[in-house]
Amino acid sequence: MQTEPRNAQVGPEKGTLVGQEYEVEVGPVAHGGHCVARTPEGQVLFVRHALPGERVVARVTEGEEGARFLRADAVRIIDASKDRIEPPCPYAGPGRCGGCDWQHAKPGAQRRLKAEVIAEQLKRLAGLTPEEAGWDGTVMPAEGDKLPAGEVPRWRTRVQYAVDPATGRAGLRRHRSHEVEPVDHCMIAAEGVGELGVEQRDWTGMESVEAIAATGSHDRQVILTPRPGARLPLVELNRPVSVLRVDEKTGGVHRVHGRPFVRERADGRTHRVSAGGFWQIHPKAADTLVTAVMQGLLPRKGDMALDLYCGVGLFAGALADRVGDKGAVLGIEAGKRAVQDARHNLAGFPRVRIEQGRVESVLPRTGITEADLIVLDPPRSGAGRTTVARLSSLGARRIAYVACDPAALARDLAYFREGGYRVRTLRAFDLFPMTHHVECVAILEPAKKGS
């Protein structure tokens, strides 16, 4: 049935449906932190703050008459799922903070929802069942994250706070919005971030404040992005902290005081990560992923290995340790500062080389025609057909694909199949609790002829 519109904003030109409410049966989970429902007229609704099987009142937040789909929030729960809980975070809910997707779901249910998304993407984009992908269908929590319903793991070691221009308060963006939800604390922020007290300070003139708490060291860092023409404030936080700023003209990151980097610890080594460069956000993620990749690849002494999209050298260092003095590792990374860090971090391995540039451009120039092992950890968009085709031509004994997006992973697995590779195993890890994000590690090997 259709309820009376609330705050409807139906205009004569575009026929917007924003504010329209529908009572709907909620269908399956979809990629992106929402579930699928349909209006009485058959229009698709992507509904946040709902769970499969529920009956809810969904209020449209984006979309117009005749659009392919609408976005909506579940603003009233009529029949609740057994997996529903009261969100532990006071800032979660329709129209509030957009940082978490599943605060209203039990932890085990969150992992099942992520597993359903992975399975759906594998089937739709790669034509693979979980069994064909060598996956047991589960999403594993990180060590220490298996908590009772109502408790939230404090895992986020890097938090990008937006600043409300009217009040100078730090907060988090609302879902698909530039509006800021001021917060007194973020429940998923790691202890090292929370103890800084960013949320209690006045950040007038700043666009954003990124807070970083390194894993395995006491390094703390804040990166300030000023609004045009604004001066930096005097940064006085509850713990010693290095301060960097983003240049409003170039986008470059510059040191104000303290170290220009943090020291992250993983796989038995310390890694320098400069100027807010990429590092896994969950404190257990780097070690979890290195273990999964090395267990899947089983490196041998003397192997020649590639680490593509190598960042500051996490996997390259792990490979170098295991292939020994007679082996060799080539890493390729686009970011100039990350390459400098990788070269610094791997200076003790004379048989490791790091090249700067885009993988699709640099790899052909290297002249490499074969490799024993390949690791790739591409951006959210994936590696793409051209790069996958080149990798498939190198005859690697095994390939490890680390993916933060199941859709991109599934697309690239289909390309690898075209290149003669099959998925041997797939593992999924819940390294982003309370959100829809999930990390996967797929191990590929040459397909048997005729398979």
Side-chain angles (χ1 to χ4, degrees), residues 110-123 128-140 406 409-410 413 422-430 438-443:
Q110 293 181 36
R111 294 189 284 272
R112 290 194 300 273
L113 292 170
K114 296 182 187 192
E116 290 174 21
V117 169
I118 296 169
E120 193 272 336
Q121 298 298 314
L122 286 173
K123 187 64 177 176
L128 293 172
T129 64
E131 293 76 17
E132 290 168 334
W135 177 42
D136 65 5
T138 64
V139 174
M140 296 298 297
L409 171 66
L413 291 182
R422 62 178 286 271
V423 186
R424 177 184 175 88
T425 61
L426 188 146
R427 298 172 70 183
F429 302 97
D430 189 14
V438 62
E439 201 86 20
C440 296
V441 176
I443 304 298

Side-chain angles (χ1 to χ4, degrees), residues 195-210:
E195 67 187 11
L196 292 177
V198 170
E199 302 95 335
Q200 281 73 53
R201 297 299 189 272
D202 184 350
W203 299 103
T204 298
M206 298 300 101
E207 180 76 34
S208 67
V209 179
E210 182 176 7

Side-chain angles (χ1 to χ4, degrees), residues 157 213-220 263-266 269-270 279 283:
T157 61
T215 300
S217 76
H218 293 293
D219 292 350
R220 304 289 182 267
R263 294 164 297 178
E264 301 277 4
R265 188 80 179 161
R269 284 185 307 283
T270 298
W279 185 260

Side-chain angles (χ1 to χ4, degrees), residues 410-423:
R411 283 192 297 269
D412 284 347
L413 291 182
Y415 300 148
F416 271 114
R417 184 172 57 215
E418 294 173 2
Y421 277 80
R422 62 178 286 271
V423 186

Side-chain angles (χ1 to χ4, degrees), residues 142-390:
E143 180 185 346
D145 278 2
K146 201 165 185 179
L147 300 174
E151 294 187 27
V152 177
R154 301 182 65 177
W155 60 271
R156 196 171 185 97
T157 61
R158 296 174 175 229
V159 178
Q160 177 101 24
Y161 294 95
V163 177
D164 186 332
T167 65
R169 288 191 61 193
L172 299 165
R173 301 241 181 236
R174 292 168 183 157
H175 182 61
R176 294 176 61 83
S177 171
H178 293 293
E179 293 183 3
V180 179
E181 179 76 18
V183 299
D184 293 324
H185 69 286
C186 174
M187 291 190 73
I188 65 173
E191 184 176 353
V193 171
E195 67 187 11
L196 292 177
V198 170
E199 302 95 335
Q200 281 73 53
R201 297 299 189 272
D202 184 350
W203 299 103
T204 298
M206 298 300 101
E207 180 76 34
S208 67
V209 179
E210 182 176 7
I212 299 171
T215 300
S217 76
H218 293 293
D219 292 350
R220 304 289 182 267
Q221 187 179 86
V222 293
I223 304 174
L224 306 179
T225 302
R227 297 184 186 278
R231 299 182 63 181
L232 290 185
L234 180 64
V235 177
E236 294 182 336
L237 295 173
N238 297 344
R239 294 289 187 276
V241 65
S242 297
V243 179
L244 285 72
R245 66 164 292 165
V246 177
D247 187 283
E248 63 184 72
K249 294 181 179 178
T250 67
V253 181
H254 307 289
R255 183 179 71 91
V256 177
H257 68 75
R259 291 193 183 97
F261 58 85
V262 294
R263 294 164 297 178
E264 301 277 4
R265 188 80 179 161
D267 195 39
R269 284 185 307 283
T270 298
H271 301 75
R272 186 182 80 183
V273 184
S274 297
F278 175 77
W279 185 260
Q280 291 288 341
I281 298 176
H282 194 294
K284 300 290 185 181
D287 279 324
T288 297
L289 295 174
V290 166
T291 298
V293 167
M294 296 303 129
Q295 287 177 345
L297 291 181
L298 297 175
R300 302 169 186 168
K301 298 296 183 183
D303 276 341
M304 192 283 171
L306 299 178
D307 180 11
L308 308 179
Y309 317 92
C310 71
V312 301
L314 173 65
F315 296 118
L319 287 165
D321 260 346
R322 292 156 176 84
V323 302
D325 295 339
K326 294 184 178 179
V329 180
L330 170 67
I332 300 177
E333 165 61 37
K336 182 178 179 180
R337 208 179 294 259
V339 167
Q340 293 171 347
D341 284 341
R343 289 171 178 165
H344 170 87
N345 296 334
L346 304 173
F349 296 106
R351 301 270 297 165
V352 174
R353 186 169 100 245
I354 306 296
E355 296 287 348
Q356 184 195 347
R358 297 172 65 88
V359 169
E360 58 268 33
S361 302
V362 173
L363 188 57
R365 295 202 305 264
T366 64
I368 291 174
T369 58
E370 58 183 26
D372 297 303
L373 302 173
I374 299 172
V375 180
L376 66 156
D377 185 3
R380 193 169 298 280
S381 56
R385 185 189 295 271
T386 301
T387 296
V388 168
R390 179 164 290 276

